[in-house]
Structures are given as structure tokens and as C-alpha cells.
Amino acid sequence: MRIKYIGMKSSTKKNGCPVCGAKAKSNTSYEYSKRMCLPSGLVKIFLMNKVEEVSYEDGVFLKGFKYVYGGKVYYPFVEV
């Protein structure tokens, strides 16, 4: 099965200043690589927008992988 990693959103939070009262800021960024332990026992590093060949069992596992960001569900792996 051919799988492509399309990235994961993550946020970095900067605390506000207690002296001047500046508000806290948060920035959204993307994780360009992801290290995954697959059901077949392989440990694989996926790079953003690069197509990888994996077994059918591993592909089903990766397609079902999800995360929540900002109250929405995202699937970072898609079948090509």
C-alpha cells in the first residue's frame, strides 16, 4: 500500500508578560516528519509529502491514525 504523510499541526504557546500585561500568543506550526512504530514491528520515519510503500496491515493502521487539533479531527496519513 502506498501512503503519504501530509503533516500534523501543532501549536507553541508563549506566555504573556506579568510586568507589562502583554497577552499570551500561540503559533501554529507543522510537524514535517513523524516517527511511527508500525504493527509489523518496523519503526519508520515519514517525511511530509513523500510517498512510502508499506504493507497492507501497516497501511490500514496509518490511515486510521488520527489526532485532534482545535476541536477538529485530522488524519495525517492518506492512501495514494
Side-chain angles (χ1 to χ4, degrees):
M1 185 179 285
R2 295 167 51 95
I3 294 289
K4 182 166 83 169
Y5 174 63
I6 56 174
M8 289 179 66
K9 289 183 181 181
S10 63
S11 64
T12 56
K13 188 174 182 182
K14 299 178 182 176
N15 292 332
C17 178
V19 176
C20 67
K23 293 183 180 180
K25 296 179 181 179
S26 65
N27 296 330
T28 301
S29 62
Y30 281 93
E31 293 181 19
Y32 291 97
S33 63
K34 182 72 175 166
R35 181 176 180 259
M36 295 289 291
C37 297
L38 302 174
S40 63
L42 290 174
V43 177
K44 209 164 176 69
I45 297 174
F46 294 92
L47 300 175
M48 188 180 225
N49 292 327
K50 185 177 177 192
V51 178
E52 295 280 345
E53 187 72 35
V54 296
S55 69
Y56 179 78
E57 180 183 297
D58 292 342
V60 170
F61 170 76
L62 291 170
K63 284 183 2 183
F65 181 78
K66 61 186 175 187
Y67 69 99
V68 177
Y69 181 82
K72 295 181 182 176
V73 177
Y74 293 95
Y75 295 89
F77 294 97
V78 294
E79 185 177 359
V80 179

